[in-house]
C-alpha cells in the first residue's frame, strides 16, 4: 500500500460536533467545536481547542466555567450556524431558539434541546499556538430522560452526529455497529487468531 | 424535556478509535485510544489521554515521539485487541500482523495497514489524575494512496470507525451525510430562520 506524505495536518476521524457554551458579558453564547475529546478518566475531564479570538473563550476565561452540549441530529443546522457566526455580532441563543438552563455551575449555560449536557469547570488553559487548549473538569452530566435505556444514555436515541473533514466537510450520522468493544479482540488475546467472532 | 443528573461522566459522542504507537525498549507497541482529539490548528497538534500505567506511555516518555494510526473498518478486531492486551505481556505487532514502518520521526512506529498515520513529537505531558494528557505536534501525515479523492483523504474509502460508549461499548461505522459543514447553517446567519435547506 503506497503512502503519500501530506505534511502536518489536523486530520483525525471522526470528530465530534459539540456546542460549547459560556456567559460573555452576562449573555449566554455558544460556539461549535470539533476539536476536543475526553482528557482524563478520574476525575472526568475533557479538552477543547478554541481559537484565541473566539467570543465564547472570553466567557470561559471570565467565569472559569463552560458547558459542552451534544446536539442531536435534528440540530445540525443550528450547530453549523454556531460555528459560522460570532456572539460578538449576534445573539445566537435567540437566532437558534435555544432554551438555556443552568445546573450545578451557575455560569455554565446549558442547552435544553441538546440530549446531553456537561457542566465543566476550567482546570487549565494552555496556549498551544493558534488555539487555546481548554481543559475542564466535568462536574455534572445531564441527559434527557427520553434518551435513556436501562438508565444509560442511548446513542440511538440521542442521535449525536460527527464531523468528518475530508474530502469535504460533512456532518454524518453515527453508522451501524460493526463490533462490540472490549470483546471482539478477545479471540486474538487468547491466541485464537483464526477463530470466528 | 426532563433531564436526569448522572454525575461526572466521561461521555462524549462520538469518540475516535485510534492505534497509538511508540517504541518501548526497542520494540514497537500499539495501544487503543478513544480519548483524544485535535488540540491546536497551527501548528497542528493533538492530545491523547493515556492511563499512567500503560506500556505505550513508557515509550512515549522515553522517545518523546509517538504515532497515531487511524484503522479502517477491516481492522476492528486488532484495534479492540490492542486495547485489551498489554505490550508488557505480548508482542502485539506480531499477534496482529502489523507491518511497521517509520517516517520522519525515527522513533514513532507507523502501521502500514492503517489508511492514515500521523507521526507526532511530544510537546507536553500533563498529569491530570488517572491519566496523562499527551500533547503532540503532528509532524507528518501519511495517507494510503488508494484512499485519496482529488488529492485528499476520503473517509468513504478509509472507512475509519468510531467508539460509542453507551448503552454498550460499540464500534460503529461512520453513517450517512446529514449536512454539509460551514454551509447548512448559513440560512440562519442571514436571518432566514424559516428557509428550507
Amino acid at each position: 500500500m503506497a503512502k503519500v506524505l501530506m505534511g502536518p495536518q489536523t486530520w483525525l476521524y471522526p470528530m465530534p460536533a459539540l456546542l460549547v457554551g459560556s456567559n460573555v458579558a452576562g449573555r449566554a453564547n455558544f460556539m461549535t467545536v470539533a476539536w476536543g475529546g475526553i482528557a482524563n478518566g478520574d476525575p472526568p475531564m475533557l479538552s477543547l481547542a478554541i481559537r484565541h479570538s473566539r467570543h465564547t473563550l472570553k466567557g470561559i476565561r471570565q467565569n472559569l466555567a463552560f458547558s459542552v452540549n451534544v446536539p442531536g441530529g435534528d440540530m445540525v443546522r443550528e450547530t453549523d450556524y454556531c460555528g459560522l457566526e460570532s456572539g460578538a455580532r449576534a445573539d445566537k441563543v435567540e437566532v437558534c431558539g435555544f432554551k438555556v438552563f443552568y445546573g450545578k455551575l451557575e455560569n455554565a449555560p446549558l442547552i435544553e434541546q441538546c440530549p446531553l449536557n456537561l457542566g465543566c469547570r476550567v482546570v487549565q488553559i494552555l496556549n498551544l499556538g493558534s488555539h487555546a487548549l481548554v481543559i475542564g473538569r466535568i462536574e455534572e452530566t445531564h441527559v434527557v430522560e427520553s434518551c435513556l435505556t436501562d438508565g444509560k444514555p442511548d446513542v440511538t436515541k440521542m442521535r449525536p452526529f460527527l464531523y468528518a473533514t475530508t474530502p469535504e466537510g460533512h456532518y454524518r450520522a453515527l453508522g451501524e455497529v460493526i463490533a462490540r468493544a472490549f470483546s471482539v479482540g478477545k479471540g486474538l488475546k487468547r491466541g485464537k487468531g483464526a477463530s470466528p467472532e
Side-chain angles (χ1 to χ4, degrees), chain A residues 15 22 35 145 159 179 189 195:
Chain A
M15 298 179 188
S22 73
W35 290 356
E145 202 170 6
R159 297 196 305 119
K189 194 172 181 183
S195 69

Side-chain angles (χ1 to χ4, degrees), chain A residues 19 68-72 74-75 79 98-99 101 110-117 142-144 147 158:
Chain A
L19 287 167
V68 173
N69 305 271
V70 177
D74 57 335
M75 295 178 70
T79 304
F98 291 150
K99 290 181 194 162
F101 72 106
L110 308 167
I111 302 173
E112 175 75 27
Q113 289 99 325
C114 289
L116 178 70
N117 317 96
H142 305 248
V143 186
V144 67
C147 290
M158 294 195 294

Side-chain angles (χ1 to χ4, degrees), chain A residues 27 35 57 60 83 86 94 118 129 140-141 147 164 171:
Chain A
R27 192 171 78 182
W35 290 356
L57 185 58
I60 295 175
S86 169
E94 195 191 341
L118 309 174
E140 187 55 275
T141 308
C147 290
Y171 302 111

Side-chain angles (χ1 to χ4, degrees), chain A residues 96-176:
Chain A
C96 293
F98 291 150
K99 290 181 194 162
V100 173
F101 72 106
Y102 293 85
K104 195 171 167 180
L105 301 174
E106 57 182 20
N107 277 311
L110 308 167
I111 302 173
E112 175 75 27
Q113 289 99 325
C114 289
L116 178 70
N117 317 96
L118 309 174
C120 303
R121 200 184 297 276
V122 170
V123 169
Q124 207 167 335
I125 301 179
L126 303 179
N127 179 359
L128 294 182
S130 60
H131 288 63
L133 189 70
V134 177
I135 300 170
R137 181 169 169 162
I138 301 165
E139 298 283 347
E140 187 55 275
T141 308
H142 305 248
V143 186
V144 67
E145 202 170 6
S146 59
C147 290
L148 296 176
T149 294
D150 298 332
K152 279 190 177 172
D154 187 331
V155 290
T156 64
K157 294 178 180 173
M158 294 195 294
R159 297 196 305 119
F161 53 94
L162 62 90
Y163 175 56
T165 45
T166 59
E168 291 180 278
H170 279 143
Y171 302 111
R172 287 174 177 270
L174 270 55
E176 75 274 8

Side-chain angles (χ1 to χ4, degrees), chain A residues 15-122:
Chain A
M15 298 179 188
L18 308 171
L19 287 167
V20 173
S22 73
N23 281 342
V24 193
R27 192 171 78 182
N29 188 56
F30 296 92
M31 69 174 286
T32 313
V33 172
W35 290 356
I38 294 295
N40 196 56
D42 185 17
M45 294 186 194
L46 52 75
S47 68
L48 305 169
I50 302 180
R51 195 170 283 278
H52 295 295
S53 58
R54 296 301 299 248
H55 197 64
T56 306
L57 185 58
K58 291 186 181 71
I60 295 175
R61 289 189 189 277
Q62 280 163 14
N63 301 300
L64 298 178
F66 62 97
S67 69
V68 173
N69 305 271
V70 177
D74 57 335
M75 295 178 70
V76 65
R77 198 177 181 206
E78 289 79 3
T79 304
D80 194 50
Y81 165 77
C82 287
L84 289 168
E85 185 60 280
S86 169
R89 288 188 300 264
D91 185 340
K92 297 196 234 182
V93 169
E94 195 191 341
V95 170
C96 293
F98 291 150
K99 290 181 194 162
V100 173
F101 72 106
Y102 293 85
K104 195 171 167 180
L105 301 174
E106 57 182 20
N107 277 311
L110 308 167
I111 302 173
E112 175 75 27
Q113 289 99 325
C114 289
L116 178 70
N117 317 96
L118 309 174
C120 303
R121 200 184 297 276
V122 170

